[in-house]
Short mmCIF file of all heavy atoms in Angstrom, two decimals:
data_model
loop_
_atom_site.label_atom_id
_atom_site.label_comp_id
_atom_site.label_asym_id
_atom_site.label_seq_id
_atom_site.Cartn_x
_atom_site.Cartn_y
_atom_site.Cartn_z
N THR A 14 3.11 -2.61 -0.88
CA THR A 14 4.20 -3.08 -1.67
C THR A 14 4.59 -4.49 -1.38
O THR A 14 4.38 -5.04 -0.25
CB THR A 14 5.47 -2.18 -1.44
OG1 THR A 14 6.56 -2.60 -2.21
CG2 THR A 14 5.83 -2.19 0.04
N ARG A 15 5.09 -5.18 -2.45
CA ARG A 15 5.63 -6.55 -2.25
C ARG A 15 7.02 -6.52 -1.67
O ARG A 15 7.49 -7.54 -1.29
CB ARG A 15 5.59 -7.29 -3.55
CG ARG A 15 4.10 -7.68 -3.98
CD ARG A 15 4.11 -8.33 -5.30
NE ARG A 15 4.40 -7.57 -6.46
CZ ARG A 15 4.10 -7.82 -7.71
NH1 ARG A 15 3.38 -8.93 -7.94
NH2 ARG A 15 4.44 -7.00 -8.71
N ARG A 16 7.64 -5.37 -1.71
CA ARG A 16 8.99 -5.20 -1.28
C ARG A 16 8.97 -5.02 0.31
O ARG A 16 7.89 -4.88 0.90
CB ARG A 16 9.68 -4.00 -1.89
CG ARG A 16 10.01 -4.18 -3.27
CD ARG A 16 10.67 -2.94 -3.90
NE ARG A 16 9.70 -1.96 -4.35
CZ ARG A 16 9.91 -0.62 -4.61
NH1 ARG A 16 11.13 -0.20 -4.39
NH2 ARG A 16 8.97 0.19 -5.07
N ASP A 17 10.09 -4.86 0.88
CA ASP A 17 10.16 -4.61 2.39
C ASP A 17 9.70 -3.11 2.53
O ASP A 17 10.37 -2.22 2.08
CB ASP A 17 11.61 -4.79 2.86
CG ASP A 17 11.70 -4.33 4.38
OD1 ASP A 17 10.68 -4.02 5.02
OD2 ASP A 17 12.89 -4.48 4.92
N PRO A 18 8.56 -2.90 3.23
CA PRO A 18 8.09 -1.56 3.44
C PRO A 18 9.12 -0.55 3.93
O PRO A 18 9.10 0.66 3.69
CB PRO A 18 6.91 -1.65 4.42
CG PRO A 18 6.46 -3.04 4.12
CD PRO A 18 7.73 -3.88 3.90
N ALA A 19 10.08 -1.04 4.78
CA ALA A 19 11.05 -0.18 5.42
C ALA A 19 11.99 0.49 4.36
O ALA A 19 12.49 1.48 4.52
CB ALA A 19 11.90 -0.95 6.46
N GLY A 20 12.02 -0.26 3.20
CA GLY A 20 12.91 0.22 2.12
C GLY A 20 12.28 1.09 1.04
O GLY A 20 12.89 1.49 0.08
N VAL A 21 10.94 1.30 1.24
CA VAL A 21 10.20 2.08 0.24
C VAL A 21 9.88 3.46 0.83
O VAL A 21 9.17 3.63 1.86
CB VAL A 21 8.85 1.39 -0.05
CG1 VAL A 21 8.08 2.22 -1.06
CG2 VAL A 21 9.19 0.04 -0.75
N LYS A 22 10.43 4.52 0.25
CA LYS A 22 10.30 5.85 0.71
C LYS A 22 9.27 6.56 -0.24
O LYS A 22 9.58 6.70 -1.38
CB LYS A 22 11.55 6.60 0.69
CG LYS A 22 12.61 5.97 1.63
CD LYS A 22 12.24 6.04 3.12
CE LYS A 22 13.33 5.43 4.03
NZ LYS A 22 12.87 4.32 4.79
N ILE A 23 8.16 7.08 0.38
CA ILE A 23 7.18 7.84 -0.41
C ILE A 23 7.30 9.34 -0.11
O ILE A 23 7.99 9.72 0.82
CB ILE A 23 5.79 7.33 -0.21
CG1 ILE A 23 5.32 7.50 1.28
CG2 ILE A 23 5.71 5.82 -0.58
CD1 ILE A 23 3.82 7.18 1.56
N LEU A 24 6.61 10.12 -0.85
CA LEU A 24 6.74 11.61 -0.75
C LEU A 24 5.58 12.18 0.20
O LEU A 24 5.79 13.26 0.71
CB LEU A 24 6.56 12.23 -2.19
CG LEU A 24 7.60 11.80 -3.14
CD1 LEU A 24 7.15 12.30 -4.58
CD2 LEU A 24 8.95 12.25 -2.82
N THR A 25 4.55 11.45 0.35
CA THR A 25 3.44 11.99 1.16
C THR A 25 3.62 11.70 2.66
O THR A 25 3.62 10.51 3.10
CB THR A 25 2.12 11.29 0.72
OG1 THR A 25 1.99 11.51 -0.75
CG2 THR A 25 0.93 11.94 1.40
N GLU A 26 3.86 12.72 3.47
CA GLU A 26 4.13 12.56 4.87
C GLU A 26 2.98 12.03 5.65
O GLU A 26 3.21 11.30 6.62
CB GLU A 26 4.57 13.88 5.44
CG GLU A 26 5.89 14.43 4.82
CD GLU A 26 6.31 15.74 5.47
OE1 GLU A 26 5.58 16.31 6.30
OE2 GLU A 26 7.40 16.26 5.00
N THR A 27 1.76 12.14 5.18
CA THR A 27 0.56 11.68 6.00
C THR A 27 0.17 10.27 5.67
O THR A 27 -0.71 9.81 6.25
CB THR A 27 -0.61 12.62 5.73
OG1 THR A 27 -0.79 12.76 4.22
CG2 THR A 27 -0.38 14.04 6.29
N ALA A 28 0.85 9.65 4.71
CA ALA A 28 0.53 8.31 4.29
C ALA A 28 1.61 7.33 4.77
O ALA A 28 2.75 7.72 5.00
CB ALA A 28 0.30 8.17 2.80
N LYS A 29 1.28 6.00 4.89
CA LYS A 29 2.25 5.04 5.27
C LYS A 29 2.40 3.92 4.22
O LYS A 29 1.51 3.70 3.36
CB LYS A 29 1.84 4.35 6.59
CG LYS A 29 1.86 5.37 7.82
CD LYS A 29 1.64 4.64 9.08
CE LYS A 29 1.69 5.60 10.31
NZ LYS A 29 1.34 4.93 11.57
N VAL A 30 3.47 3.18 4.26
CA VAL A 30 3.77 2.04 3.41
C VAL A 30 3.53 0.77 4.22
O VAL A 30 4.05 0.64 5.29
CB VAL A 30 5.13 2.11 2.91
CG1 VAL A 30 5.38 0.99 1.89
CG2 VAL A 30 5.43 3.42 2.21
N TYR A 31 2.71 -0.08 3.58
CA TYR A 31 2.46 -1.37 4.24
C TYR A 31 2.79 -2.51 3.30
O TYR A 31 2.80 -2.43 2.10
CB TYR A 31 0.91 -1.47 4.54
CG TYR A 31 0.44 -0.34 5.42
CD1 TYR A 31 -0.15 0.76 4.94
CD2 TYR A 31 0.36 -0.56 6.80
CE1 TYR A 31 -0.64 1.79 5.70
CE2 TYR A 31 -0.10 0.43 7.61
CZ TYR A 31 -0.60 1.58 7.10
OH TYR A 31 -1.04 2.60 7.98
N PRO A 32 2.96 -3.70 3.86
CA PRO A 32 3.11 -4.94 2.99
C PRO A 32 1.69 -5.23 2.36
O PRO A 32 0.63 -4.96 3.02
CB PRO A 32 3.58 -6.03 4.00
CG PRO A 32 3.14 -5.51 5.27
CD PRO A 32 3.16 -4.06 5.28
N VAL A 33 1.81 -5.84 1.24
CA VAL A 33 0.59 -6.17 0.51
C VAL A 33 -0.40 -7.03 1.35
O VAL A 33 -1.63 -6.86 1.31
CB VAL A 33 0.96 -6.98 -0.83
CG1 VAL A 33 -0.26 -7.62 -1.45
CG2 VAL A 33 1.49 -6.08 -1.82
N ALA A 34 0.20 -7.89 2.16
CA ALA A 34 -0.65 -8.78 3.02
C ALA A 34 -1.58 -7.89 4.02
O ALA A 34 -2.57 -8.41 4.45
CB ALA A 34 0.23 -9.71 3.89
N ASP A 35 -1.19 -6.68 4.23
CA ASP A 35 -2.07 -5.91 5.19
C ASP A 35 -3.20 -5.19 4.54
O ASP A 35 -4.01 -4.55 5.21
CB ASP A 35 -1.16 -4.85 5.83
CG ASP A 35 -0.26 -5.41 6.92
OD1 ASP A 35 -0.34 -6.63 7.13
OD2 ASP A 35 0.53 -4.57 7.48
N ALA A 36 -3.34 -5.36 3.14
CA ALA A 36 -4.41 -4.53 2.44
C ALA A 36 -5.78 -4.88 2.96
O ALA A 36 -6.61 -3.98 3.21
CB ALA A 36 -4.26 -4.83 0.98
N GLU A 37 -6.08 -6.16 3.27
CA GLU A 37 -7.43 -6.56 3.60
C GLU A 37 -7.86 -5.88 4.94
O GLU A 37 -8.99 -5.60 5.12
CB GLU A 37 -7.47 -8.12 3.76
CG GLU A 37 -8.89 -8.64 4.00
CD GLU A 37 -9.07 -10.12 3.92
OE1 GLU A 37 -8.04 -10.79 3.62
OE2 GLU A 37 -10.16 -10.61 4.04
N LYS A 38 -6.89 -5.74 5.82
CA LYS A 38 -7.19 -5.09 7.08
C LYS A 38 -7.70 -3.67 6.94
O LYS A 38 -8.31 -3.15 7.87
CB LYS A 38 -5.93 -5.07 8.05
CG LYS A 38 -5.33 -6.46 8.33
CD LYS A 38 -4.06 -6.32 9.09
CE LYS A 38 -3.31 -7.62 9.18
NZ LYS A 38 -2.05 -7.47 9.80
N MET A 39 -7.40 -3.02 5.81
CA MET A 39 -7.68 -1.58 5.61
C MET A 39 -8.79 -1.34 4.64
O MET A 39 -8.99 -0.27 4.11
CB MET A 39 -6.45 -0.81 5.20
CG MET A 39 -5.34 -0.89 6.20
SD MET A 39 -3.87 0.11 5.77
CE MET A 39 -4.56 1.77 5.77
N LYS A 40 -9.61 -2.36 4.46
CA LYS A 40 -10.68 -2.31 3.42
C LYS A 40 -11.74 -1.20 3.73
O LYS A 40 -12.40 -0.65 2.89
CB LYS A 40 -11.32 -3.59 3.11
CG LYS A 40 -12.05 -4.31 4.30
CD LYS A 40 -12.57 -5.66 3.80
CE LYS A 40 -13.30 -6.32 4.97
NZ LYS A 40 -13.76 -7.65 4.58
N ASP A 41 -11.86 -0.94 5.06
CA ASP A 41 -12.81 0.17 5.41
C ASP A 41 -12.25 1.57 5.44
O ASP A 41 -12.96 2.51 5.67
CB ASP A 41 -13.45 -0.17 6.78
CG ASP A 41 -14.25 -1.50 6.78
OD1 ASP A 41 -14.87 -1.76 5.75
OD2 ASP A 41 -14.17 -2.23 7.75
N GLU A 42 -10.94 1.62 5.25
CA GLU A 42 -10.28 2.93 5.26
C GLU A 42 -9.89 3.44 3.94
O GLU A 42 -9.32 4.64 3.77
CB GLU A 42 -8.96 2.83 6.15
CG GLU A 42 -9.27 2.47 7.59
CD GLU A 42 -7.90 2.25 8.36
OE1 GLU A 42 -7.17 3.24 8.34
OE2 GLU A 42 -7.71 1.18 8.91
N ILE A 43 -10.16 2.72 2.83
CA ILE A 43 -9.81 3.12 1.53
C ILE A 43 -11.06 3.06 0.60
O ILE A 43 -11.79 2.08 0.58
CB ILE A 43 -8.74 2.21 0.95
CG1 ILE A 43 -7.36 2.44 1.65
CG2 ILE A 43 -8.55 2.32 -0.53
CD1 ILE A 43 -6.32 1.46 1.48
N ASP A 44 -11.36 4.19 -0.12
CA ASP A 44 -12.49 4.29 -0.96
C ASP A 44 -12.17 3.63 -2.33
O ASP A 44 -13.07 3.00 -2.87
CB ASP A 44 -12.84 5.73 -1.12
CG ASP A 44 -13.32 6.38 0.18
OD1 ASP A 44 -14.19 5.73 0.87
OD2 ASP A 44 -12.87 7.46 0.54
N VAL A 45 -11.01 3.93 -2.86
CA VAL A 45 -10.62 3.34 -4.13
C VAL A 45 -9.13 2.92 -4.06
O VAL A 45 -8.31 3.70 -3.64
CB VAL A 45 -10.82 4.35 -5.30
CG1 VAL A 45 -10.47 3.68 -6.67
CG2 VAL A 45 -12.16 4.89 -5.35
N MET A 46 -8.92 1.68 -4.57
CA MET A 46 -7.54 1.25 -4.64
C MET A 46 -7.08 1.30 -6.06
O MET A 46 -7.75 0.74 -6.97
CB MET A 46 -7.46 -0.26 -4.14
CG MET A 46 -6.08 -0.86 -4.18
SD MET A 46 -5.02 -0.28 -2.88
CE MET A 46 -5.47 -1.35 -1.53
N ILE A 47 -6.03 1.93 -6.27
CA ILE A 47 -5.43 2.08 -7.69
C ILE A 47 -4.34 1.00 -7.83
O ILE A 47 -3.32 1.05 -7.10
CB ILE A 47 -4.93 3.46 -7.97
CG1 ILE A 47 -6.04 4.54 -7.81
CG2 ILE A 47 -4.23 3.55 -9.34
CD1 ILE A 47 -5.69 5.96 -8.10
N LEU A 48 -4.50 0.14 -8.76
CA LEU A 48 -3.56 -0.98 -8.94
C LEU A 48 -2.57 -0.59 -9.96
O LEU A 48 -2.82 -0.36 -11.18
CB LEU A 48 -4.37 -2.26 -9.42
CG LEU A 48 -5.52 -2.64 -8.50
CD1 LEU A 48 -6.27 -3.83 -9.08
CD2 LEU A 48 -5.03 -2.98 -7.10
N CYS A 49 -1.24 -0.56 -9.60
CA CYS A 49 -0.21 -0.14 -10.44
C CYS A 49 0.79 -1.21 -10.85
O CYS A 49 1.98 -0.99 -11.13
CB CYS A 49 0.55 1.01 -9.63
SG CYS A 49 -0.49 2.38 -9.28
N GLY A 50 0.25 -2.42 -10.96
CA GLY A 50 1.10 -3.54 -11.47
C GLY A 50 1.12 -3.59 -12.98
O GLY A 50 0.52 -2.75 -13.67
N GLY A 51 1.87 -4.51 -13.54
CA GLY A 51 2.02 -4.71 -14.92
C GLY A 51 0.86 -5.61 -15.52
O GLY A 51 0.29 -6.39 -14.82
N SER A 52 0.65 -5.35 -16.81
CA SER A 52 -0.49 -6.08 -17.49
C SER A 52 -0.15 -7.57 -17.79
O SER A 52 -1.06 -8.38 -17.88
CB SER A 52 -0.82 -5.35 -18.75
OG SER A 52 -1.31 -4.12 -18.49
N ALA A 53 1.14 -7.89 -17.92
CA ALA A 53 1.48 -9.21 -18.27
C ALA A 53 1.13 -10.30 -17.24
O ALA A 53 0.41 -11.26 -17.57
CB ALA A 53 2.95 -9.37 -18.62
N THR A 54 1.51 -10.05 -16.02
CA THR A 54 1.36 -11.15 -14.96
C THR A 54 0.58 -10.51 -13.74
O THR A 54 0.01 -11.30 -13.04
CB THR A 54 2.61 -11.69 -14.55
OG1 THR A 54 3.54 -10.66 -14.08
CG2 THR A 54 3.28 -12.49 -15.72
#
């Protein structure tokens, strides 16, 4: 998330919320990244 991860509550207990900047560090732990942003920008 681009927001403060501490303020983002998800439903899946086994997953964690990270800042966007941390994505590159996890490239070997994720098989597919689903991008949920808007089409405009």
Side-chain angles (χ1 to χ4, degrees):
T14 180
R15 288 179 289 200
R16 291 177 275 165
D17 177 1
V21 177
K22 301 293 182 238
I23 64 173
L24 303 170
T25 307
E26 293 178 0
T27 54
K29 292 185 178 180
V30 183
Y31 300 91
V33 166
D35 285 358
E37 186 169 2
K38 300 174 190 173
M39 298 184 66
K40 62 182 180 181
D41 296 326
E42 298 178 54
I43 290 170
D44 296 310
V45 183
M46 181 74 84
I47 299 181
L48 306 176
C49 298
S52 296
T54 57

